[in-house]
Amino acid sequence: MKNRVAQFGVFVALALIFSYVETLVPVFFVVPGMKLGLANLVTVIVLYKLGGKEAFWVLTVRVLLAGFLFGNLFSILYAMAGGALSFAVMVIAKKSGKFSVMGVSIAGGAFHNVGQLIVAVLVVETYSVTYYLPVLLVAGEVTGFLIGVLSDRMLKTLKKINL
Amino acid sequence: MKKNDWILAFIILAAAGIFMGWNMILAKTKGEYVRIYQEGKLLGEYPLSRDDTVAVGRTNVVEILGGKVRMKKADCKDQLCVRQHEISKNRESIICLPNQVVVEISSGEEADYDAIVK
């Protein structure tokens, strides 16, 4: 694709759709904040194919739009916090060169939940929320791993395509 | 998966385990009271021994029945707090994030690790 803006739009739209589809899938554990993180698939792929800056903007625009479309001010806050921390960790992990796509995604998944939990602590003004930290860490790790495997597969297939 | 990926995954798992162990150690006693907070302020402390129904603001209703606590009603969209299982052990909590309601079991002493952050 030659037009950068159109390309950017396509990725944001894709991430938005994943975000929405996620809300249709019921989560079995009743733990606040649990989700599949499907939209992260787009973030990881853009990160590896186009770089950190592109990925950051795709993420930010997607979070804002998803918030306006399906969520509310609070969901934007949580998603931004989780997304920002998770993104920062993923960029660092990727730059270090020590991890594969799976590792980067695992870190991203786990820290996304940590970020959200931190905001929750600030919002409700008690530390009680940290009771959920163990479950969210493992859940984030597992979904991160799955998204990582998917991303890895896709990146290998997309290797031939130049963006 | 590279070796470092496994190490990272293990470290996160271990961290989760440590937090869980910490929670379990603090929770080894059966709770005696339930504290209800809204927007960080303690609204009240109720003994688990007495069945009760407590309205929290105009948005939530907490029910104490048979020594267990659950969120009976809430006007939040996701209803996660209502769907959560009842709690009765120390440090267990039910939280309604949209309404900033925190319902927590305590053993009646000072709030130990759960200070109110202001």
Side-chain angles (χ1 to χ4, degrees):
Chain A
M1 278 191 234
K2 288 188 214 149
N3 191 331
R4 282 251 117 160
V5 174
Q7 180 180 292
F8 181 82
V10 168
F11 280 121
V12 171
L14 205 55
L16 262 176
I17 291 174
F18 277 128
S19 246
Y20 176 65
V21 165
E22 241 178 23
T23 64
L24 300 175
V25 178
V27 177
F28 296 111
F29 293 99
V30 189
V31 173
M34 284 265 271
K35 39 183 215 156
L36 297 175
L38 287 178
N40 215 44
L41 188 58
V42 175
T43 308
V44 172
I45 289 182
V46 175
L47 176 64
Y48 273 85
K49 285 298 266 190
L50 295 171
K53 219 157 72 141
E54 280 286 321
F56 174 74
W57 286 112
V58 169
L59 175 64
T60 304
V61 173
R62 184 256 298 180
V63 165
L64 283 171
L65 283 178
F68 288 134
L69 286 174
F70 326 121
N72 50 46
L73 210 58
F74 269 121
S75 67
I76 293 180
L77 184 65
Y78 288 114
M80 265 281 52
L85 183 61
S86 140
F87 187 71
V89 170
M90 285 200 290
V91 168
I92 292 172
K94 175 172 178 275
K95 269 212 159 82
S96 80
K98 296 207 186 113
F99 304 98
S100 74
V101 180
M102 271 79 77
V104 169
S105 190
I106 284 175
F111 277 94
H112 182 97
N113 289 334
V114 171
Q116 291 193 306
L117 217 55
I118 290 175
V119 174
V121 166
L122 294 172
V123 166
V124 291
E125 297 179 40
T126 60
Y127 291 119
S128 308
V129 216
T130 56
Y131 178 74
Y132 296 110
L133 190 59
V135 182
L136 287 177
L137 271 179
V138 176
E141 191 179 8
V142 171
T143 55
F145 171 70
L146 294 171
I147 298 293
V149 169
L150 253 175
S151 305
D152 189 52
R153 213 66 280 248
M154 288 199 65
L155 284 167
K156 290 200 168 101
T157 313
L158 292 173
K159 229 179 170 79
K160 303 144 199 161
I161 300 177
N162 280 325
L163 282 175
Chain B
M1 286 278 279
K2 286 166 54 175
K3 186 168 93 157
N4 282 320
D5 296 336
W6 288 110
I7 294 176
L8 174 69
F10 179 71
I11 290 177
I12 293 177
L13 200 62
I18 290 172
F19 280 112
M20 196 154 85
W22 184 37
N23 274 330
M24 291 203 314
I25 289 174
L26 289 175
K28 67 176 190 283
T29 47
K30 230 179 140 109
E32 284 168 42
Y33 296 92
V34 58
R35 291 192 175 135
I36 304 182
Y37 300 84
Q38 185 165 35
E39 292 171 6
K41 291 190 281 285
L42 178 64
L43 291 184
E45 194 178 67
Y46 306 84
L48 291 182
S49 49
R50 195 173 48 209
D51 290 355
D52 204 352
T53 307
V54 183
V56 185
R58 274 167 302 162
T59 54
N60 296 69
V61 177
V62 174
E63 180 188 70
I64 306 170
L65 192 63
K68 298 198 201 214
V69 179
R70 68 181 187 101
M71 186 71 75
K72 186 158 179 196
K73 253 200 307 215
D75 68 356
C76 55
K77 200 166 71 154
D78 54 28
Q79 294 281 298
L80 283 176
C81 51
V82 178
R83 285 163 55 196
Q84 265 209 285
H85 66 85
E86 51 202 9
I87 56 175
S88 59
K89 297 201 272 272
N90 230 346
R91 274 190 60 95
E92 278 194 297
S93 64
I94 298 177
I95 296 169
C96 182
L97 219 42
N99 293 320
Q100 299 182 44
V101 174
V102 176
V103 180
E104 198 191 3
I105 309 282
S106 80
S107 58
E109 302 129 24
E110 15 70 51
D112 49 27
Y113 292 95
D114 284 302
I116 300 175
V117 182
K118 264 290 185 228

